Amino acid sequence: MDRETRVFAENHFRRLRGRLPSRVCPTPDRVDFIENPDSFSYADFFKGYLIPNLPCVFSSAFTEGWGSRRHWVTPSGKPDFDYLLQNYGDVVVPVANCGVQEYNSNPKEHMPLRDYICYWKEFIQGHYSSPRGCLYLKDWHLCRDSSAEGIFTLPVYFSSDWLNEYWDTLDVDDYRFIYMGPTGTWSPFHADIFRSFSWSVNICGRKKWFLFPPGQEEALRDCHGGLPYDVTAPAFLESCRHQGLNHCSPPLEVTQEAGEMVFVPSGWHHQVHNMVGWPHPAPCA
Ligand SMILES: O=C(O)CCC(=O)C(=O)O
Ligand SMILES: [Fe+2]
């Protein structure tokens, strides 16, 4: 951290005097799109987004040099199954069934990446439906389990990362995950581990994010205090209307394109859907 940013941070926390913002954070009107890496410094990110705890989207120029963007993707912008099979086919990966709700998550199984890609191809051939359900490869710790050499470059904005620094010192685990799946796969409503902030890059395809500022999730709880599983489900939206939950402002919606990087600030609940990223039919069975 440069001196100017450090002074800014010290003054900011001195003014807070150890208090945390207690009120529900208002939803901003929009999410900023950061176009140019050459004119966006660490200090710009720190002052404009990290400290105010606001999301932003970085353009694909920020991940231009990533090896995964070159090697994992075909010229037509689809996942390069052959490359992935050759390099990681035998690696055992966690796979969630997005079509089955288990509490506020999905049941998971493990399988070699080879089998998952086989399923994925069948799913496409089956017009985006399969008797095996809607399977999403989630939380694959590629960096922990294999070499991540040449796959990505840590953006300077996220170089201070005490969650991973802790694990990296012990050399046992990490919080770096890979997600892959066809159109229709999705991640249920949640906030990230320990209410940490996170960032996420699309190697290819398109994602839709629904983002709620910290505290807004309180208005979404059911009569048992439970948080919703799917904030887009018609039944949930209907129950909101019924119970007069309209005082909860709608989420910020962000569409993340290939190469773009989303910053999810601390404590923001979110739900994420993999969309049609190239021409093909949509729904997941
Ligand atoms: O891409 C997804 O399905 C989920 C990503 C997510 O929740 C995150 O990066 O925090
Ligand atoms: Fe998340």
Side-chain angles (χ1 to χ4, degrees), residues 8-276:
F8 176 87
E10 281 169 0
N11 287 339
H12 172 82
F13 289 111
R14 209 166 281 137
R15 269 195 306 274
L16 278 182
R17 294 207 190 114
R19 284 166 310 185
L20 287 172
S22 53
R23 67 198 168 84
V24 175
C25 303
T27 309
D29 297 334
R30 52 191 286 278
V31 175
D32 287 349
F33 187 74
I34 319 290
E35 195 77 56
N36 187 355
D38 297 332
S39 56
F40 191 70
S41 65
Y42 179 82
D44 293 333
F45 173 68
F46 191 87
K47 291 181 194 171
Y49 302 95
L50 190 67
I51 288 290
N53 213 37
L54 291 170
C56 63
V57 179
F58 297 79
S59 78
S60 60
F62 286 81
T63 60
E64 199 59 62
W66 282 29
S68 47
R69 287 196 56 201
R70 261 199 319 280
H71 301 305
W72 292 19
V73 186
T74 66
S76 59
K78 298 179 187 183
D80 191 334
F81 291 145
D82 292 335
Y83 182 90
L84 293 168
L85 281 171
Q86 263 162 32
N87 288 274
Y88 307 104
D90 295 331
V91 178
V92 173
V93 292
V95 172
N97 191 339
C98 301
V100 178
Q101 179 177 358
E102 200 173 78
Y103 302 101
N104 266 10
S105 185
N106 307 115
K108 263 193 185 163
E109 57 181 314
H110 286 80
M111 62 180 80
L113 182 67
R114 184 178 315 289
D115 292 358
Y116 182 70
I117 289 184
C118 189
Y119 157 82
W120 193 341
K121 287 178 180 169
E122 280 168 16
F123 188 78
I124 295 171
Q125 274 158 14
H127 304 284
Y128 291 81
S129 153
S130 163
R132 291 174 66 190
C134 186
L135 304 186
Y136 191 12
L137 189 168
K138 288 188 82 164
D139 302 333
W140 172 19
H141 290 254
L142 181 138
C143 300
R144 184 192 64 189
D145 300 340
S146 328
S147 165
E149 181 89 31
I151 290 176
F152 78 105
T153 314
L154 182 66
V156 65
Y157 317 103
F158 306 117
S159 50
S160 167
D161 180 355
W162 55 267
L163 274 187
N164 277 310
E165 279 155 21
Y166 172 76
W167 281 129
D168 291 348
T169 311
L170 300 184
D171 204 15
V172 256
D173 206 351
D174 69 356
Y175 290 110
R176 302 182 185 96
F177 308 109
I178 292 195
Y179 297 74
M180 294 187 189
T183 299
T185 48
W186 64 292
S187 287
F189 184 71
H190 69 280
D192 288 337
I193 181 118
F194 303 138
R195 297 298 182 266
S196 57
F197 64 77
S198 69
W199 55 281
S200 173
V201 172
N202 254 6
I203 304 305
C204 63
R206 177 179 289 142
K207 274 182 198 287
K208 176 81 159 247
W209 293 73
F210 297 93
L211 298 159
F212 294 81
Q216 297 242 343
E217 72 281 1
E218 293 308 322
L220 304 178
R221 291 190 189 276
D222 63 20
C223 57
H224 306 291
L227 286 171
Y229 163 70
D230 176 2
V231 294
T232 68
F236 171 74
L237 296 171
E238 185 51 35
S239 80
C240 282
R241 264 191 296 277
H242 244 86
Q243 296 165 32
L245 292 185
N246 291 336
H247 60 277
C248 172
S249 19
L252 268 177
E253 290 188 25
V254 170
T255 303
Q256 179 188 19
E257 302 290 349
E260 292 177 356
M261 177 160 70
V262 168
F263 167 59
V264 182
S266 169
W268 281 60
H269 278 70
H270 49 283
Q271 183 169 322
V272 190
H273 293 252
N274 291 319
M275 314 283 288
V276 181

